[in-house]
Amino acid sequence: QVQLVESGGGLVQSGGSLRLSCAASGNIFSIDAMRWYRQAPGKQRDFVAFITSNGGTLYADSVKGRFTISRDNAKNMVYLQMNSLKPEDTAVYYCNAEVRSASNRPYVGYWGQGTQVTVSS
């Protein structure tokens, strides 16, 4: 089994910064893509950022230029540096990772429990 645990959320004023972390643990042979999503109250879960195992990245237009995704493969961690935060960034942020438990097993997607980010105006 694999667990993803997010941390780093909190309350910040508009224009401020936060850094989210997500730690993967458990039966891990390798991790492929890692992603961040967010879900605001009453809305669907939306894609935020993506990073490949080699460091290639992709961002939602709404966060491009403000957020930076990174990862530490040795620690099975993914991060989301969020700058110039806006009230509309308020949401629960979830990390997602594609993990396989052995070289001959397929990748399986796992989710963390989420961390709340609240941006006040």
Side-chain angles (χ1 to χ4, degrees), residues 32-105:
D32 196 4
M34 304 184 85
R35 300 173 179 86
W36 286 96
Y37 286 77
R38 65 187 181 186
Q39 187 167 19
K43 297 189 176 181
Q44 67 181 19
R45 189 172 297 188
D46 290 331
F47 166 77
V48 174
F50 161 94
I51 186 167
T52 69
S53 57
N54 294 327
T57 59
L58 182 69
Y59 297 92
D61 287 343
S62 59
V63 307
K64 203 173 293 183
R66 300 187 298 123
F67 290 10
T68 302
I69 188 171
S70 61
R71 64 190 285 172
D72 184 331
N73 290 334
K75 296 181 179 179
N76 292 332
M77 298 280 295
V78 63
Y79 306 96
L80 187 68
Q81 178 66 45
M82 305 186 295
N83 299 328
S84 302
L85 283 161
K86 305 174 182 179
E88 51 263 44
D89 295 317
T90 295
V92 177
Y93 283 71
Y94 298 90
C95 71
N96 167 270
E98 297 174 9
V99 181
R100 59 177 176 174
S101 57
S103 60
N104 61 343
R105 301 303 300 266

